[in-house]
Amino acid sequence: MATRVLVPMDGSEPAEAALEYVLEMHPEADITVLHVIELEGTTLTVDDGLGFDDEVQRGMEEQAEAVFDRAQELAEEAAHEGDLETTTGIGDPTRSIIDAAADADLVVIGSHGRHGAARLLLGSVAETVARRSPVPVTIVR
């Protein structure tokens, strides 16, 4: 049985379903909830270095906190017995998840379940993680 489970969460219903699955199937596992902040499409400023625009950074921090608060709420509702840790990654979600998986026994990730052309055009983070992860991956729809 997995003792350390990584659950990437982006605030979507499939991500919540993945956490709910872990809470039910691995009630004693230590869970790490990972929220990845994507850099693409952000407004950057250059002062003495490269950084996020203050408003964009506040928005990203608020989104991460909302995801972490919801994860904590779900864990409390399930009377989760293990530890729940939260962490933030920055950059490409797939790369961040695979890197974080090195410290886990299992990755449980939600999938939007796209098919056909939508999956080809948009890609699938869950599918790529499943192919490249150093540990087993469970995809929850």
Side-chain angles (χ1 to χ4, degrees), residues 39-59:
L39 298 178
E40 188 175 321
T42 60
T43 305
L44 299 174
T45 60
V46 178
D47 294 323
D48 54 348
L50 207 61
F52 294 114
D53 176 89
D54 287 342
E55 186 175 327
V56 171
Q57 184 169 346
R58 269 192 307 279

Side-chain angles (χ1 to χ4, degrees), residues 15 26 52 62 65-66 90 102 105 133-134:
H26 304 280
F52 294 114
E62 288 172 5
E65 283 304 312
I90 298 177
D105 299 316
S133 174

Side-chain angles (χ1 to χ4, degrees), residues 61-138:
E61 290 169 357
E62 288 172 5
Q63 181 182 11
E65 283 304 312
V67 167
F68 296 150
D69 289 346
R70 180 65 179 147
Q72 187 64 46
E73 180 182 313
L74 290 170
E76 288 172 7
E77 288 173 5
H80 179 66
E81 299 169 27
D83 292 334
L84 185 118
E85 176 185 316
T86 59
T87 188
T88 305
I90 298 177
D92 176 58
T94 303
R95 173 64 21 218
S96 295
I97 295 165
I98 292 168
D99 289 348
D103 296 326
D105 299 316
L106 173 69
V107 175
V108 178
I109 187 168
S111 174
H112 291 277
R114 293 186 180 104
H115 293 75
R119 190 175 117 232
L120 291 174
L121 293 172
L122 299 173
S124 171
V125 171
E127 182 179 339
T128 304
V129 168
R131 280 189 278 119
R132 297 184 182 169
S133 174
V135 299
V137 176
T138 298

Side-chain angles (χ1 to χ4, degrees), residues 9 13 25-26 66 71-72 75 102 141:
M9 290 188 70
E13 287 182 25
M25 300 304 291
H26 304 280
Q72 187 64 46
R141 287 191 191 174

